[in-house]
Amino acid sequence: MNTEELYQQRLRRYLTALRNERPDKIPIRPFVAEFTAKYAGFTCQQVAHDFNLAFEAAVRCARDFDWDAVVPNMVYVWTGLTQAAGLRYYGIPGIHVPHTTGFNYIEPPEEEAFMREDEYDALIADPTAFLYEVWLPRVSTEIVKPGQPATYRSHLALVKSAMAMMVYFNAFGPQIQRLRTECGTVSAIAGIFKAPFDILADKLRGYVGLTLDMARQPDTVLRACEALMPHLAHVGLTTADPAKQVPIGLWMHRGCVPFVNPAQFRSHYWPTLKPCIEEFWRHGHQTMFYAEGKWDAHLDDFATLPERSIIFHVDQGDIFLAHRKLHHKFALSGGIPNVLLSYGQPEEVRAYCKKVIDEVAREGGYILDAGAIMQDDTSIENLRALTDFAREYGVYSGAPTDGPLLRPCDGADVSELVGLSDRPAPRVRPGVCLPWEAKLKELPPLSGDVDLLRRVWENVDALGNTYIWQLLLSF
Amino acid sequence: MSTPDLQPLYDAVLSGDAKTARAVTEQALSAGVEPLKLVQEYMVPAMGEVGRRFECNEYFVPELLLSARAMKAALELIRPLLAASGAQPAGRVVIGTVKGDLHDIGKNLVAAMLEGGGYEVIDLGVNVPPEKFVEVAQEKNANLVAMSALLTTTMPSMRTTIEAFKAAGVRNRVKIMIGGAPITQRYADEIGADGYAETAAGAVPLARKLAA
Ligand code: B12
């Protein structure tokens, strides 16, 4: 079989499982992060700081392991970019953290949160402007606050980090192509999304700050989540797979019990997340719920989403429970404990995979992966045992290997879905920093192709929007 | 002077109302109530109840955090008086998140529960090197050491720390307990820790059992 045939076979296998149906074999889709460095003979510092080496490491793994899909670079944060922007919240290997580790996200202490408790109204009024004016100068060691004297270094930090982002993002196309042509491996996800409540905790108020706000000003927090929804959903939609094959990644951090109590989940987290997921599905995009930690308390809520609109990934939760509660609607992935993969014996790995396959994968709709991303502690021998065992044992009979290639969204009826469509439009449209209407007021009377003038202004303005929301969501 | 009603202190800790906890404590102290009585008869039972509710899913991390803050607000007033009176804590714990690991939400909850259990808690923060645990445990004459790890990559730091206690010849002077999401009883046994608890609430009975 040539590489393209292999790719097509794996793509069909993966898409069939995403559709919660039975493929020919259980797809294997390990989220390997610093593991790739260990396997390829690089250091964690190398893959964090030089994304070309990270790409190379991912390719070497994809070439050598019989995996159906991987992430083009799961060591996602390129620290060359974070350094250019002067981001305080990353430890760079060899500078702030030992060179033997990967990049490290570092949360500021409570009193130094990047957003203060009395700044909600400014955030709500214009989230994009707030990020540029208040948040960015606070998270950066280089970029100065509006109103402060401009500096050479501040200008440099903006230009360099923005161009670095462009360089980095533009490198993904060729990397995805390499995975396809050199390894026959599918790029597992496309696009990024986080729940409004999680973003408030992760990058703005901090977890403790947000927890206190939930006691003191819960309505304001809710308004902030609502104000973030259209902007975050815009990022999800504009970064999603245009072919609508692979899902948008939703990284779920601290919206679950016990981080919040059940009432807070019902009042804040879920009502501001669910419409976004339905909005994606309305547009034909599936979402991968990467449920970090344990989300067992919320499976009944997730089950209210439209059939096939998500795939549910299990980290430390109970995958057997998730299967009982969700399998009738969605595919599942993950559930193999990282502790086992790092410190267990190959026979224990095989036994655990057998148990999961027997109980969860019988009717298809299961994608094999560890619970959490795999760092350099993951044993190569154990990951090989997982792969070999799944290929041997994870075979279904009677699955069609030809016929039309169906995507998750094919055949879904979304006509009744509301998503975000019934919500009032925000004052500044998502994806926009400086609206054309505002710019127009400063310009002399226009002539010629006015539409061209508007379109190009808006397209370039959108880049400014991409920069700041990507910093918030991806970096 | 009549003895003030101290039930509101218990209630304030339980409901996470720091302002009231502080105010009642202030009143009680100026009315001459024994500081130790406040701790042992009101705060420890209140935090015990907080732990119980956490264990049976009536309380969650937000409630724990708020109760811990209320307790701390009261303790700030009481602690100097306790020290001056020479009252002995239930035990002395050195706690920290192990080397390489920066996760501290769980560790802070454990520290608060232990404090609420009447222990003196010396919190070394995050990314604590083995030598630091050993040094401070000796210096403060602690009888308990509590380590937290949230990453599978940093679990081995727990083993290294236990080895550092052995190498310094002081392993038998402390009981060592460990916890954090990836940790199991099996791992605790394997690396020679004295105890493991799954939750922050479980840390207090464990400490009592170990130091009995
Ligand atoms: C919050 C968080 C962070 C925050 C930490 C902020 C902070 N101040 O703590 C930030 C964003 C900084 C962070 C960074 C990273 N994180 Co993190 N993080 C989490 C997250 C979302 C929650 C962890 C948590 O707070 N749990 C809540 C507390 C209450 O639970 P707990 O700690 O287990 O504690 C309870 C019990 O275990 C027990 N307990 C805890 N300690 C002790 C000790 C004793 C003695 C006892 C008795 C009991 C006990 O009591 C507590 C209450 O009952 C988890 C995913 C998840 N949802 O669980 C990922 C997670 C732990 N992180 C992960 C990773 C990979 C990272 C990073 C490496 C990412 C990166 N490349 O930057 C960095 C590493 C930084 C570092 N060097 O530590 C992975 C770990 C995967 C693995 N293989 O182990 C997880 C599982 C996410 C995932 N699924 O991929 N993270």
Side-chain angles (χ1 to χ4, degrees), chain A residues 103-105 259 292 315, chain B residues 100 102-104 148 150 152 181 198 200:
Chain A
F103 74 88
N104 266 228
Y105 183 79
F259 289 98
E292 295 189 2
D315 176 10
Chain B
L102 306 174
H103 296 81
D104 66 0
S148 178
L150 258 279
T152 52
E198 202 186 325

Side-chain angles (χ1 to χ4, degrees), chain A residues 104 106 110 207-208 211-212 215 254 257-262 264 316 338-339 342-343 348 375-377, chain B residues 54 57 60-63 65-66 69 100 102 105 150-156 181-183 186-187 198:
Chain A
N104 266 228
I106 300 168
E110 187 191 332
Y207 171 71
V208 177
T211 301
L212 298 178
R254 286 178 281 198
V257 162
F259 289 98
V260 297
N261 62 40
Q264 293 170 337
Q316 293 150 19
N338 291 64
V339 180
S342 296
Y343 305 114
E348 294 174 296
Q375 298 195 278
D376 60 326
D377 54 315
Chain B
F54 186 70
N57 290 331
F60 303 89
V61 176
E63 290 82 6
L65 264 172
L66 291 172
R69 281 182 179 240
L102 306 174
I105 300 172
L150 258 279
L151 297 167
T152 52
T153 53
T154 56
M155 288 166 61
I183 307 301
R186 180 177 146 187
Y187 188 71
E198 202 186 325

Side-chain angles (χ1 to χ4, degrees), chain A residues 122-397:
Chain A
L123 172 76
I124 292 164
D126 186 347
T128 308
F130 181 82
L131 291 175
Y132 266 114
E133 295 188 276
V134 182
W135 180 77
L136 184 57
R138 265 191 208 140
V139 299
S140 168
T141 54
E142 306 287 311
I143 298 169
V144 298
K145 242 185 14 217
Q148 299 291 104
T151 63
Y152 175 46
R153 290 188 45 151
S154 175
H155 292 337
L156 265 185
L158 277 170
V159 172
K160 282 173 23 181
S161 59
M163 294 189 82
M165 190 184 283
M166 198 70 119
V167 168
Y168 184 38
F169 285 171
N170 284 340
F172 273 81
Q175 166 70 355
I176 292 167
Q177 203 52 30
R178 259 192 94 184
L179 286 169
R180 178 173 182 160
T181 55
E182 291 178 32
C183 322
T185 312
V186 178
S187 172
I189 50 174
I192 186 152
F193 182 66
K194 281 179 191 158
F197 189 87
D198 260 335
I199 265 298
L200 273 178
D202 284 357
K203 291 282 180 69
L204 292 154
R205 291 289 294 129
Y207 171 71
V208 177
L210 184 61
T211 301
L212 298 178
D213 296 342
M214 286 297 288
R216 294 171 187 155
Q217 43 174 345
D219 298 339
T220 313
V221 175
L222 183 60
R223 282 195 296 121
C225 290
E226 286 168 347
L228 288 168
M229 285 167 82
H231 299 274
L232 296 172
H234 178 83
V235 179
L237 281 174
T238 50
T239 52
D241 178 7
K244 301 180 182 180
Q245 291 182 327
V246 300
I248 298 173
L250 162 63
W251 307 93
M252 301 158 77
H253 291 161
R254 286 178 281 198
C256 58
V257 162
F259 289 98
V260 297
N261 62 40
Q264 293 170 337
F265 180 87
R266 281 194 301 271
S267 62
H268 285 66
Y269 187 84
W270 189 231
T272 55
L273 173 60
K274 187 181 180 187
C276 300
I277 304 305
E278 294 186 342
E279 182 69 10
F280 295 155
W281 190 235
R282 242 160 53 85
H283 286 82
H285 298 292
Q286 199 179 33
T287 307
M288 181 198 58
F289 273 40
Y290 197 82
E292 295 189 2
K294 280 196 192 84
W295 293 72
D296 293 352
H298 309 295
L299 302 177
D300 291 327
D301 293 295
F302 300 152
T304 63
L305 287 166
E307 192 173 345
R308 288 209 303 279
S309 61
I310 68 167
I311 65 162
F312 187 73
H313 178 89
V314 179
D315 176 10
Q316 293 150 19
D318 179 345
I319 188 149
F320 307 108
L321 179 71
H323 178 254
R324 284 196 298 280
K325 296 219 166 189
L326 299 178
H327 173 67
H328 64 294
K329 283 187 125 175
F330 318 118
L332 300 181
S333 66
I336 310 298
N338 291 64
V339 180
L340 181 63
L341 290 169
S342 296
Y343 305 114
Q345 296 301 315
E347 60 275 17
E348 294 174 296
V349 172
R350 280 190 285 270
Y352 201 90
C353 289
K354 178 170 187 305
K355 185 171 144 90
V356 170
I357 292 174
D358 285 345
E359 294 190 31
V360 170
R362 272 191 318 272
E363 293 136 41
Y366 174 70
I367 296 160
L368 184 62
D369 187 4
I373 57 150
M374 286 174 261
Q375 298 195 278
D376 60 326
D377 54 315
T378 307
S379 136
I380 296 174
E381 195 190 0
N382 283 345
L383 207 46
R384 202 172 283 291
L386 172 146
T387 309
D388 293 346
F389 179 76
R391 280 291 107 112
E392 226 170 79
Y393 190 71
V395 183
Y396 299 104
S397 59

